[in-house]
Amino acid sequence: MDHTTLEKKIAEALNHNKFCSFATVEGNKPKVRYMALFHDGVNLHLATDRKTHKVEELEENPNVYVLAGYEEGGSKDVIELQGLARVTKQEQLRNELWNEDFKRWFSGPDDPDYVILEIEAQRIEYTPHGGELQVWEK
């Protein structure tokens, strides 16, 4: 499968996964947590509080790993993504991703603690349900 077609298949599979396991590095050990998943193609966006440990961890080491897939009701495809993350307060992106569920943690899309983690994919291992592993690289 060519690079562009594979990228489209991965993005389509991401459409069916609302959550992911998100791993950062704390010290020299991995730290994993579940997060709501948003994406633009193969680049991911995760909403978080700027005062969390994950933000501190990314300042020390921007390398991250995301596992998505096989979620109930999802496509059953598996996506393993290695990438580089950065924290942004980009207003347009914060407004785009904002949803009412976030009111549990933030006062609104203008809350100064509400930030987005932008993850630039570097390498993705994609295994379609019942299919063979395929690798996408930047």
Side-chain angles (χ1 to χ4, degrees):
M1 181 178 314
D2 69 70
H3 192 265
T4 303
T5 303
L6 179 56
E7 188 171 309
K8 286 179 184 176
K9 290 269 188 200
I10 293 167
E12 185 179 310
L14 286 168
N15 286 337
H16 299 285
N17 291 279
K18 302 215 180 300
F19 300 97
C20 66
S21 295
F22 174 64
T24 57
V25 179
E26 181 178 41
N28 62 351
K29 296 182 181 187
K31 184 159 183 187
V32 182
R33 71 279 282 162
Y34 289 112
M35 296 192 70
L37 174 64
F38 305 93
H39 74 98
D40 177 17
V42 296
N43 292 310
L44 308 183
H45 306 292
L46 309 175
T48 194
D49 189 313
R50 70 176 174 86
K51 296 181 283 188
T52 60
H53 289 290
K54 67 182 98 43
V55 170
E56 292 173 12
E57 293 156 8
L58 292 173
E59 289 172 0
E60 293 291 319
N61 186 338
N63 290 287
V64 298
Y65 199 87
V66 175
L67 174 62
Y70 219 75
E71 185 177 312
E72 187 163 333
S75 67
K76 305 292 189 243
D77 299 339
V78 177
I79 299 128
E80 296 182 58
L81 183 146
Q82 295 173 13
L84 297 172
R86 71 181 188 91
V87 178
T88 183
K89 290 183 179 182
Q90 183 186 55
E91 187 176 340
Q92 180 182 344
L93 188 56
R94 288 165 29 133
N95 285 323
E96 258 178 58
L97 299 183
W98 178 259
N99 70 62
E100 294 303 305
D101 293 338
F102 293 166
K103 284 188 174 181
R104 290 177 56 190
W105 302 282
F106 308 107
S107 60
D110 296 327
D111 188 319
D113 290 333
Y114 169 56
V115 296
I116 305 298
L117 305 180
E118 289 185 301
I119 302 169
E120 180 184 352
Q122 302 296 304
R123 183 177 199 277
I124 302 171
E125 292 182 7
Y126 169 66
T127 307
H129 183 64
E132 293 185 25
L133 170 74
Q134 298 175 54
V135 177
W136 176 97
E137 291 186 286
K138 184 172 180 181

